[in-house]
Amino acid sequence: MAILVTGGAGYIGSHMVHGLLAGGEQVVVLDNLTTGFEWAVAQGAKLVVGDIADQALVGKLIAEHHVEAIIHFAGSIVVPESVSDPLGYYKNNTVNSRALIECAVKGGVKHFIFSSTAAVYGNPEKVPVGEDDPILPVSPYGSSKLMTEIMLRDAAFAHGLSYGILRYFNVAGADPQGRTGQSTKGATHLIKVAVETALGRRARMDVFGTNYPTPDGTCLRDYIHVTDLTQAHADLLAYLRKGGASVTANCGYGRGFSVLEVIQTVKKVSGVDFKVEMSERRPGDPAQIIASSDRIRALSGWKPQYDDLSVIVGHALAWERKLMAKRN
Ligand code: UFG
């Protein structure tokens, strides 16, 4: 029996594969390598280069490897890109996920864990935001993920699939053992950008907006270490395997840091005082988004190990140095 990890050559997926192998699981990775890397797939997992929309391929993999569970990471993840290319996002994140869910149902897969996002909440009225708070995505990215949540719930109800939907907050950091990390070129995420700037890969960076209704005027986010996030998937799978009811749960730590606090931490941990400019707001940014993560903790016993911004930044820096050496 195997676990099929879609997007297992990507940032979060590659961490998941390490975690699953360490737990003694048999792992098959399906990744089209659009943004993932072959080298990011841990030894011991079988990599199949292909698309989740290729139902003949997915059906064959499920049957051949007796796939018991699917952990579905593959998708597009850049919010501003989704605004300029909504149909691309609805295809990759919604239409293709529908094809995958159908294969799961037809192939008799028992459990399905789906990477969703805090972006389904849009601009929350209050923080921390709970799973039953209003859902109002403000980007095609958030909508594309929300539609998949709905399809998964309905299909699971009709066909007896058990599912876990995890709504990720701001995922950051890298494998503490330095085996994988965020490797996408042209990344836009705050910690990645700040770390690249500290290491001289960018001449300067911008703070997008300094007049938000927050303590220092910059946006607050709930940054969660990628290894804690993937551990939440492993804990959720264990819960589902024990017969736990299907669930939708937030995945964050429940506390926020401002953009300026993050930049200050990157400066402190790296020892580099890099150039930062105060700029205009970036369209579509909510002032603050922080998770209430009580549900996942109570259900699965998830206990984060890396809830420390300096540690998250330290791991991101260590990985960026490795990546620079790899690329030189
Ligand atoms: N920011 C800057 N400068 C930069 C990059 C980012 O000031 O160079 C700011 C942004 O304006 C925002 C904050 O840092 O206020 C965080 O921005 P990110 O781009 O790192 O992340 P987002 O909060 O926009 O989005 C991320 C994921 C989404 C997810 C969301 C949930 O990309 O998938 O977190 O909070 F939905």
Side-chain angles (χ1 to χ4, degrees):
M1 293 236 279
I3 298 177
L4 177 64
V5 179
T6 74
Y11 172 42
I12 304 172
S14 64
H15 289 79
M16 184 80 244
V17 172
H18 278 291
L20 290 170
L21 292 173
E25 303 283 358
Q26 190 192 326
V27 181
V28 178
V29 169
L30 178 61
D31 198 301
N32 63 13
L33 300 182
T34 305
T35 52
F37 301 92
E38 195 171 341
W39 53 255
V41 178
Q43 294 245 325
K46 180 183 171 58
L47 169 64
V48 177
V49 179
D51 214 281
I52 59 164
D54 182 346
Q55 288 194 312
L57 173 66
V58 175
K60 187 167 146 266
L61 289 178
I62 291 173
E64 250 176 28
H65 299 279
H66 307 286
V67 170
E68 174 222 7
I70 295 178
I71 308 184
H72 176 33
F73 295 100
S76 304
I77 58 156
V78 181
V79 176
E81 188 182 63
S82 79
V83 177
S84 54
D85 180 23
L87 296 178
Y89 271 67
Y90 291 126
K91 178 163 190 298
N92 270 348
N93 292 351
T94 314
V95 176
N96 292 354
S97 293
R98 186 211 159 275
L100 181 70
I101 295 168
E102 187 169 60
C103 287
V105 167
K106 284 190 177 156
V109 173
K110 287 200 175 73
H111 313 293
F112 196 106
I113 297 183
F114 172 56
S115 307
S116 189
T117 169
V120 300
Y121 297 113
N123 288 290
E125 277 167 25
K126 63 158 188 63
V127 293
V129 61
E131 291 87 353
D132 299 324
D133 285 347
I135 298 293
L136 260 180
V138 292
S139 67
Y141 170 67
S143 301
S144 70
K145 289 280 186 175
L146 177 59
M147 287 191 228
T148 301
E149 286 195 7
I150 295 167
M151 287 191 298
L152 180 57
R153 256 182 242 132
D154 291 347
F157 179 76
H159 304 290
L161 182 66
S162 92
Y163 70 80
I165 292 170
L166 286 178
R167 293 181 179 151
Y168 307 165
F169 284 63
N170 288 57
V171 188
D175 177 40
Q177 296 178 47
R179 297 167 299 183
T180 185
Q182 170 62 280
S183 310
T184 322
K185 287 190 180 141
T188 57
H189 291 141
L190 178 64
I191 292 184
K192 174 86 174 168
V193 169
V195 158
E196 286 179 355
T197 316
L199 297 183
R201 290 177 59 80
R202 295 173 190 244
R204 44 157 267 214
M205 67 170 292
D206 296 292
V207 172
F208 297 132
T210 53
N211 58 356
Y212 284 97
T214 57
D216 68 14
T218 66
C219 293
L220 298 177
R221 294 288 183 276
D222 188 341
Y223 296 93
I224 172 176
H225 193 294
V226 60
T227 301
D228 278 337
L229 178 77
T230 55
Q231 185 58 48
H233 292 68
D235 293 346
L236 189 62
L237 181 59
Y239 156 86
L240 293 174
R241 278 173 167 166
K242 278 190 270 173
S246 295
V247 64
T248 300
N250 287 339
C251 216
Y253 291 142
R255 50 98 189 104
F257 288 102
S258 73
V259 174
L260 292 178
E261 284 171 327
V262 169
I263 292 174
Q264 212 39 52
T265 306
V266 175
K267 286 187 173 182
K268 195 167 151 221
V269 176
S270 65
V272 183
D273 186 14
F274 50 87
K275 193 170 173 205
V276 178
E277 283 188 9
M278 302 301 147
S279 304
E280 292 303 303
R281 288 185 177 197
R282 192 175 68 172
D285 278 340
Q288 48 180 334
I289 178 143
I290 296 164
S292 155
S293 58
D294 298 348
R295 185 177 286 177
I296 178 80
R297 288 175 199 258
L299 272 184
S300 72
W302 177 61
K303 284 194 186 64
Q305 306 289 310
Y306 303 101
D307 180 1
D308 180 329
L309 188 60
S310 298
V311 171
I312 294 175
V313 165
H315 290 161
L317 269 165
W319 175 252
E320 200 60 42
R321 288 196 183 98
K322 248 192 170 164
L323 202 58
M324 283 168 73
K326 208 190 248 301
R327 284 178 178 158
N328 285 337

